[in-house]
Amino acid sequence: MKHTILYSAIGLLTLGGVAFASNLDGQYAGKSEAEITQQLESMGYEIRSIENEDDYLEAYALKDGVRYEVYIDPQTGKVIKIKEDD
């Protein structure tokens, strides 16, 4: 019984993080490192670094103890996808 409750709590925490992360898709994050940092920090992220990779800007960020990679289109400034970093 204790294991079931623990697994349920872990599942809820994971789903909560994924639900929040997917809400960023399509949102404007910025076109410059300074703008991206400001936008994501206003959403509660702590920015670790921003790199230009594979024609996208990748922001490596931390929120609520979870590491994320945020992929941003440099032409539109919109979030293409966000995923938990391994």
Side-chain angles (χ1 to χ4, degrees):
M1 177 119 167
K2 289 181 185 178
H3 293 292
T4 304
I5 293 170
L6 176 61
Y7 293 140
S8 296
I10 291 170
L12 288 174
L13 291 173
T14 302
L15 288 175
V18 171
F20 176 79
S22 66
N23 288 338
L24 282 178
D25 290 347
Q27 284 192 21
Y28 183 79
K31 295 181 183 180
S32 69
E33 287 189 33
E35 190 176 22
I36 292 166
T37 298
Q38 181 181 7
Q39 288 287 83
L40 293 180
E41 284 180 348
S42 74
M43 296 176 198
Y45 288 90
E46 180 181 329
I47 306 307
R48 299 296 186 165
S49 68
I50 299 174
E51 299 176 9
N52 192 346
E53 291 186 26
D54 302 324
D55 298 325
Y56 295 107
L57 295 170
E58 288 185 32
Y60 296 91
L62 184 69
K63 182 174 173 85
D64 298 328
V66 179
R67 294 183 306 178
Y68 292 98
E69 291 180 21
V70 182
Y71 296 84
I72 301 159
D73 183 326
Q75 301 300 316
T76 65
K78 291 186 178 183
V79 175
I80 301 300
K81 73 175 179 175
I82 185 169
K83 69 174 190 168
E84 286 188 28
D85 192 11
D86 298 337

